[in-house]
Amino acid sequence: MGARNLDRLKLIAALALTLSPALAQTVGTNKPSDAGETPTFSTQSQLVVETVVVTGKDGKPVTGLKASDFTVTENGAAQTIKFFEEQHMADTPAPAPAQPPNIHIYDRLSLVKISPE
């Protein structure tokens, strides 16, 4: 390698070292916030509701159960129960509310086409 090639390599190396900080991305600086901007954060959550009725051998509901009394799995992997609530249901369902006389329920609805006159 000749002296001329060596000088070229030194020049290229010097330029690379000199320009690299100017071209590098600055890390750790934040854009100043504008007074009118509201920060926005995105997230996802999935709530799965499972209704379970536990009865004893006599057919009566079992009460006093806690989340630790249950195991929930998905594809064989145990899932964490984040919310658990025991509810007491009435033995007999409440009767359906009576409908006011001016409301009519039809078994079939027909398609009506309205054309301009």
Side-chain angles (χ1 to χ4, degrees), residues 18-96:
T18 304
L19 294 176
S20 63
L23 299 175
Q25 179 181 2
T26 306
V27 178
T29 60
N30 294 324
K31 181 181 113 181
S33 63
D34 295 332
E37 285 188 27
T38 302
T40 302
F41 300 96
S42 297
T43 185
Q44 282 188 325
S45 179
Q46 181 180 8
L47 174 65
V48 178
V49 178
E50 292 292 334
T51 303
V52 178
V53 177
V54 180
T55 56
K57 290 180 182 180
D58 58 357
K60 294 183 180 177
V62 177
T63 59
L65 297 173
K66 303 180 293 285
S68 59
D69 296 321
F70 296 88
T71 303
V72 177
T73 60
E74 182 178 5
N75 297 328
Q79 301 295 309
T80 303
I81 300 174
K82 302 249 182 198
F83 179 77
F84 180 85
E85 179 180 66
E86 181 178 356
Q87 295 181 348
H88 298 279
M89 307 304 277
D91 291 337
T92 57

Side-chain angles (χ1 to χ4, degrees), residues 113-117:
K113 196 173 207 179
I114 300 174
S115 60
E117 292 183 30

Side-chain angles (χ1 to χ4, degrees), residues 6-21:
L6 188 56
D7 288 338
R8 282 186 186 171
L9 284 176
K10 286 181 184 178
L11 178 63
I12 292 171
L15 284 174
L17 289 173
T18 304
L19 294 176
S20 63

